[in-house]
Amino acid sequence: MKTVFDGFHYFYDDRLLTKQASITAIALHTKNKGKRKITYDEAKLLIRGGVAGMIQPDRIHIFYREIDIKRMVRRRDRQLCVYCGGRGDTADHVIPACEGGLTTFTNLVCACATCNFAKDSLSLYLYQKRLLHMNIFQRWQHRRKLVRQQFIPYLPKDTQQYNVFYTHTKKLNKTITDTAILLQHLDKRLVTLDSRLKKMESQIKQTSKTTQSQFGRLDTSIQKTQVLLADYIETNTKRTLWQKIFH
């Protein structure tokens, strides 16, 4: 079935976007409805993130301001930090803004100021890796941060937009939990490998000590045999000399 763009209805399937260098984005929340050119990938992420809708194959409408998106994200997550479970008063980008992360419902989570400052410009993978490679004291200090809650978009239910973004977010949550489990298994394997390497190092040290002692004993026995050979040769020459004299 062919999709008809009539200029009145919005579409939220990013596959309908025309793959061109620039897409026109119109901000509906401003008085003058400012236009700007954005890339195809950015437009696709805005549509997937529930921030924009497609009105034409090469034109999208942005519905919300960044302040409103952050406020709705904090309300969606019930003012709870998804990293430590405490009271959240800020919104954190899961994919950092410096790495191209956009302010969308699927890329923002509620976080407290401490966790937001600790995560800084790290990606979620590197932040979880830092949390997993802590010692016992640091793990006890950050015990709540090791559990990350799942999140769903703050959108009205029973709509096409909600269903589209819920499926995307469900896949994202599955990948996040899978990576966390994989990191835990890798951490355990690294610990076992580290212990094995330490055992091998201690065995090598012990063998080197034993070989050194064996080489020392061999050196002393060689010296003794050399002395005995010299004595034997000296006595033998003296005996032959006395035999020649008396005969």
Side-chain angles (χ1 to χ4, degrees):
M1 184 177 178
K2 189 177 179 181
T3 306
V4 179
F5 293 93
D6 54 3
F8 295 101
H9 297 89
Y10 291 108
F11 296 90
Y12 304 102
D13 191 356
D14 54 1
R15 293 175 294 180
L16 300 174
L17 275 173
T18 55
K19 292 183 179 180
Q20 56 187 18
S22 62
I23 304 290
T24 305
I26 301 172
L28 300 179
H29 50 76
T30 58
K31 291 182 180 179
N32 299 325
K33 293 186 179 180
K35 292 183 181 180
R36 62 188 177 97
K37 296 289 185 179
I38 60 174
T39 60
Y40 170 78
D41 294 330
E42 189 176 353
K44 188 165 67 173
L45 288 173
L46 287 172
I47 292 170
R48 284 185 179 180
V51 177
M54 186 167 38
I55 196 75
Q56 291 292 335
D58 59 346
R59 181 173 295 184
I60 63 170
H61 285 179
I62 299 172
F63 304 132
Y64 310 104
R65 297 180 299 172
E66 289 190 2
I67 300 171
D68 298 331
I69 293 168
K70 290 178 181 179
R71 188 180 70 249
M72 285 190 280
V73 164
R74 291 197 299 270
R75 184 181 169 189
R76 176 196 70 190
D77 294 337
R78 299 178 183 178
Q79 296 292 125
L80 293 174
C81 176
V82 298
Y83 299 116
C84 66
R87 180 174 174 76
D89 49 2
T90 62
D92 179 59
H93 290 80
V94 179
I95 300 170
C98 62
E99 294 182 4
L102 300 176
T103 307
T104 59
F105 292 110
T106 53
N107 194 40
L108 282 179
V109 290
C110 184
C112 64
T114 307
C115 293
N116 200 344
F117 181 75
K119 185 175 177 289
D120 197 18
S121 60
L122 292 173
S123 63
L124 186 62
Y125 171 76
L126 291 175
Y127 185 58
Q128 287 178 340
K129 193 174 179 181
R130 178 189 286 182
L131 292 176
L132 286 169
H133 288 80
M134 287 180 176
N135 55 32
I136 297 169
F137 181 68
Q138 289 174 339
R139 282 176 183 274
W140 180 79
Q141 281 184 329
H142 303 276
R143 59 190 181 279
R144 289 184 178 178
K145 293 183 185 179
L146 298 173
V147 180
R148 187 183 184 281
Q149 298 176 358
Q150 294 184 351
F151 59 93
I152 59 170
Y154 182 79
L155 296 170
K157 292 184 179 181
D158 300 327
T159 58
Q160 182 186 1
Q161 196 178 11
Y162 178 84
N163 293 327
V164 169
F165 299 122
Y166 182 75
T167 53
H168 284 300
T169 312
K170 202 171 181 182
K171 291 178 182 177
L172 183 68
N173 289 331
K174 190 176 183 301
T175 54
I176 288 168
T177 50
D178 289 342
T179 50
I181 292 165
L182 184 64
L183 282 171
Q184 288 177 356
H185 287 306
L186 285 172
D187 192 19
K188 289 178 181 177
R189 288 182 182 177
L190 284 171
V191 170
T192 53
L193 282 171
D194 194 14
S195 62
R196 286 179 183 176
L197 285 171
K198 285 180 180 177
K199 286 180 181 177
M200 288 173 67
E201 190 178 358
S202 62
Q203 286 176 359
I204 288 165
K205 285 180 180 178
Q206 287 177 359
T207 51
S208 64
K209 285 179 181 178
T210 53
T211 50
Q212 282 177 2
S213 63
Q214 286 175 359
F215 276 124
R217 289 173 186 171
L218 203 124
D219 193 13
T220 54
S221 64
I222 287 167
Q223 287 177 0
K224 287 179 180 178
T225 51
Q226 284 177 352
V227 171
L228 288 171
L229 278 169
D231 292 339
Y232 177 74
I233 290 165
E234 189 178 357
T235 54
N236 198 5
T237 52
K238 285 180 180 179
R239 186 180 297 167
T240 53
L241 184 65
W242 283 109
Q243 283 176 0
K244 285 179 182 180
I245 291 167
F246 288 105
H247 288 289

